[in-house]
Amino acid sequence: EAGVTQSPTHLIKTRGQQATLRCSPISGHTSVYWYQQALGLGLQFLLWYDEGEERNRGNFPPRFSGRQFPNYSSELNVNALELEDSALYLCASSLEGAGEKLFFGSGTQLSVL
Amino acid sequence: ELKVEQNPLFLSMQEGKNYTIYCNYSTTSDRLYWYRQDPGKSLESLFVLLSNGAVKQEGRLMASLDTKARLSTLHITAAVHDLSATYFCAVERGYGGATNKLIFGTGTLLAVQP
């Protein structure tokens, strides 16, 4: 069974540009979570999607947004990139939105120059 | 606001030794998770602890939960080099509601020396 897949693996952008990160959950999982893992800051919760709707978001500015498609895959968009957006972005999926174990993808390493 | 603290942040230990990583959280929670992350890799789920007094063991790792003390421990027995990784605890808030999210601890970087 395929795990959570993320693309691209690496992404290099310059300040002010937009970045789009993609995530495919494990088959049958309806919930997708996005986390930011910046150097020295640990894992910070970004967004939670379930059944196509945004259920919750962390303390990030509105330029961080996303969506979940009918097939439960998800996109994370970051507009007006800033240097401090450089981080590993991890996507995770679970069977339900409430309490099921999360399965993480390998992440997208975003570098903003 | 829920805060999760781990200590130590860095642990260097010799093979064959025992040690414990601690995870404290600030408010009541519904579930606690332990994850492992190898360098450059994603997170791997180790344990899910669901209730007070829960204890789970796999191999040389054993996790326990004391919800009254808001404390979880990850005990390492007779460490081996393969256990070298960063270990995260994560606390869930809002189970069953619309505020579900995991709050992660800062992580403990474990280096097992031969």
Side-chain angles (χ1 to χ4, degrees):
Chain A
E1 179 183 304
V4 177
T5 56
Q6 291 186 245
S7 64
T9 307
H10 293 86
L11 189 56
I12 300 175
K13 295 284 186 179
T14 56
R15 285 179 62 189
Q17 285 188 314
Q18 181 203 36
T20 298
L21 288 64
R22 297 180 178 83
C23 172
S24 293
I26 291 173
S27 177
H29 287 191
T30 61
S31 275
V32 170
Y33 301 78
W34 286 96
Y35 283 83
Q36 181 195 66
Q37 187 175 26
L39 212 57
L41 293 178
L43 280 119
Q44 305 293 321
F45 168 75
L46 260 168
L47 289 159
W48 167 34
Y49 291 97
D50 184 55
E51 296 286 356
E53 293 190 16
E54 181 181 302
R55 300 292 187 182
N56 200 7
R57 65 179 291 131
N59 295 325
F60 282 84
R63 57 191 186 82
F64 286 83
S65 66
R67 54 180 173 168
Q68 186 178 34
F69 299 99
N71 66 354
Y72 303 115
S73 67
S74 176
E75 269 184 7
L76 173 68
N77 295 294
V78 188
N79 294 320
L81 284 166
E82 300 178 2
L83 296 178
E84 52 264 33
D85 296 334
S86 295
L88 179 66
Y89 289 83
L90 291 167
C91 169
S93 73
S94 70
L95 274 172
E96 301 174 11
E100 292 297 324
K101 186 170 66 175
L102 297 189
F103 295 83
F104 283 83
S106 299
T108 293
Q109 183 65 55
L110 173 63
S111 299
V112 183
L113 307 178
Chain B
E1 182 183 335
L2 175 60
K3 292 185 179 179
V4 182
E5 293 182 348
Q6 282 181 240
N7 70 84
L9 297 181
F10 177 70
L11 177 58
S12 178
M13 56 190 300
Q14 286 185 317
E15 281 190 327
K17 299 291 187 182
N18 304 332
Y19 209 83
T20 301
I21 299 171
Y22 298 88
C23 174
N24 291 88
Y25 52 98
S26 59
T27 63
T28 56
S29 171
D30 304 297
R31 298 181 181 209
L32 190 136
Y33 302 75
W34 283 97
Y35 287 88
R36 168 184 171 144
Q37 186 178 34
D38 291 292
K41 302 278 182 72
S42 189
L43 279 77
E44 174 193 351
S45 177
L46 294 174
F47 302 108
V48 181
L49 301 170
L50 303 178
S51 59
N52 187 42
V55 177
K56 290 200 174 178
Q57 181 167 5
E58 181 154 343
R60 300 173 188 276
L61 300 177
M62 183 173 72
S64 65
L65 178 61
D66 181 344
T67 57
K68 293 179 182 177
R70 298 176 189 163
L71 170 70
S72 179
T73 60
L74 180 66
H75 187 71
I76 303 151
T77 302
V80 293
H81 182 68
D82 286 350
L83 290 179
S84 297
T86 299
Y87 293 84
F88 292 93
C89 66
V91 177
E92 181 173 350
R93 198 66 196 285
Y95 173 68
T99 58
N100 175 66
K101 61 182 178 181
L102 278 184
I103 306 299
F104 280 81
T106 48
T108 296
L109 176 58
L110 173 65
V112 181
Q113 311 295 338

